[in-house]
Amino acid sequence: MTANTLAGRDLLTMADLTPAEVRLVLDRALAHKDLWPRRAAPRPTLAGKKAALVFMKPSLRTRVSFECACANLGIHPVVLGPHDAFSREETVHDTVKTLERYVDVIVLRTFEQAHVEEVAEHASVPVVNSLTDDHHPCQGLADLMTIEERFAKLAGLTLAYVGDGNNMANTCLLAGALTGMHVRTASPDGYAPAAAVVEQARALAEAHVTGATIAVGADPAAAVAGADVVVTDTWASMGQEAEHAERVAAFAGFTVDEPLFAQASEGAVFLHCLPAHRGEEVSPGVIDGAASAVFDEAENRLWAQQALLSLLLEGSES
């Protein structure tokens, strides 16, 4: 049995994990998905634990999947909105030092990556980044699980990310680096993934000798050609609504439509973390077509996060 090296840890970006730890999460997630619906797994495994689920941004999939994961594991979820936590000018330090007296894990969906890092700096309980403007590691784990379900492997596959160089682009780069996938991105000028993250992905691939390659460009066709997995995301994320018209103009030609997707490999799969804007970053024919796995992705948020919570809290005292 592989040792659980994640107990008591934080997950702030994919780079917090080693390849072996990604494998640990995926193996447990796949086991939970297989066993739980058949009621073949013992439950609840973490009765008496409490989780603070803090949402500074609106949420559907993240909130419901984390709440359901908590319910499956016997964890009591305490859901807090933007007016409940980190509000009324209370410092992050004081908020965290209060929360950690009540709960065993803090799950935070917020804007700046620096916010979740500051929370983790002060917290004595595990902190999970459930989305920031720069990283989305829980979605990354669900995406890896979805890809592996389709191809029965990760290493050696080619993943093409087309669109905004945002939290999902960063997460794809780091996830690919850790699992030996070849990652190509295509973004308009001015919207490429952060150079620091690109270099971090290359450094991770080299340090862990995963065989992954990282290529960043501005040509969607070149990125998608022969790819096994094609990923995109909304062009205007939460907090960027005022830039919508400007971004739609800038991203002209970056829609994942049927002609572009046809350049991927035979049997390629399409992923999107949702919510999707049909007619903008993806055509209805692609996201609603046979190659789309977007609802498998959505479901796998539950299993990946359930596995992650169980590993983080395993052996902890309430």
Side-chain angles (χ1 to χ4, degrees), residues 20-177:
E21 288 165 347
V22 171
R23 185 72 266 151
L24 188 65
V25 177
L26 295 183
D27 284 348
R28 185 166 292 194
L30 290 163
H32 281 193
K33 185 173 183 177
D34 180 53
L35 295 173
W36 234 271
R38 294 187 285 113
R39 299 183 181 275
R43 65 168 85 183
T45 61
L46 293 168
K49 303 292 185 188
K50 282 81 65 181
L53 309 181
V54 186
F55 295 94
M56 309 303 286
K57 288 183 172 183
S59 176
L60 171 65
R61 278 154 291 275
T62 298
R63 175 169 177 171
V64 177
S65 58
F66 262 111
E67 284 201 57
C68 290
C70 287
N72 283 348
L73 293 169
I75 301 171
H76 180 78
V78 181
V79 180
L80 302 168
H83 302 297
D84 302 316
F86 308 111
S87 62
R88 296 180 292 174
E89 299 183 354
E90 186 165 24
T91 66
V92 170
H93 173 272
D94 291 358
T95 302
V96 171
K97 289 302 174 189
T98 302
L99 284 176
E100 69 181 14
R101 298 296 182 103
Y102 306 139
V103 303
D104 301 279
V105 60
I106 298 171
V107 177
L108 176 58
R109 179 179 173 95
T110 187
F111 292 87
E112 298 87 1
Q113 181 69 17
H115 187 193
V116 74
E117 291 173 355
E118 186 177 4
V119 170
E121 178 184 343
H122 294 298
S124 62
V125 297
V127 174
V128 175
N129 172 6
S130 60
L131 179 139
T132 67
D133 292 343
D134 295 329
H135 293 281
H136 201 353
C138 292
Q139 183 69 54
L141 290 168
D143 287 4
L144 290 175
M145 182 179 174
T146 307
I147 295 167
E148 188 164 88
E149 287 178 325
R150 292 297 179 109
F151 295 97
K153 66 176 184 178
L154 294 169
L157 297 176
T158 296
L159 184 153
Y161 177 90
V162 178
D164 191 17
N166 60 9
N167 50 8
M168 279 310 305
N170 293 342
T171 297
C172 287
L173 287 164
L174 298 174

Side-chain angles (χ1 to χ4, degrees), residues 165-295:
N166 60 9
N167 50 8
M168 279 310 305
N170 293 342
T171 297
C172 287
L173 287 164
L174 298 174
L178 290 168
T179 56
M181 286 196 286
H182 307 296
V183 182
R184 307 176 195 147
T185 70
S187 306
D189 289 343
Y191 295 93
V197 176
V198 175
E199 289 310 308
Q200 185 182 29
R202 288 173 175 151
L204 282 173
E206 183 176 353
H208 293 296
V209 198
T210 64
T213 59
I214 304 296
V216 177
D219 183 347
V224 169
D228 302 291
V229 184
V230 179
V231 186
T232 189
D233 192 11
T234 182
W235 291 341
S237 298
M238 284 177 285
Q240 298 171 333
E241 290 81 1
E243 305 172 26
H244 181 260
E246 175 187 346
R247 283 174 167 266
V248 167
F251 283 82
F254 283 77
T255 300
V256 179
D257 54 16
E258 288 88 332
L260 180 61
F261 191 78
Q263 298 180 54
S265 70
E266 185 176 355
V269 63
F270 173 76
L271 300 182
H272 190 308
C273 62
L274 303 173
H277 301 83
R278 290 166 172 77
E280 292 188 6
E281 74 271 10
V282 62
S283 68
V286 171
I287 193 170
D288 299 322
S292 176
V294 298
F295 297 114

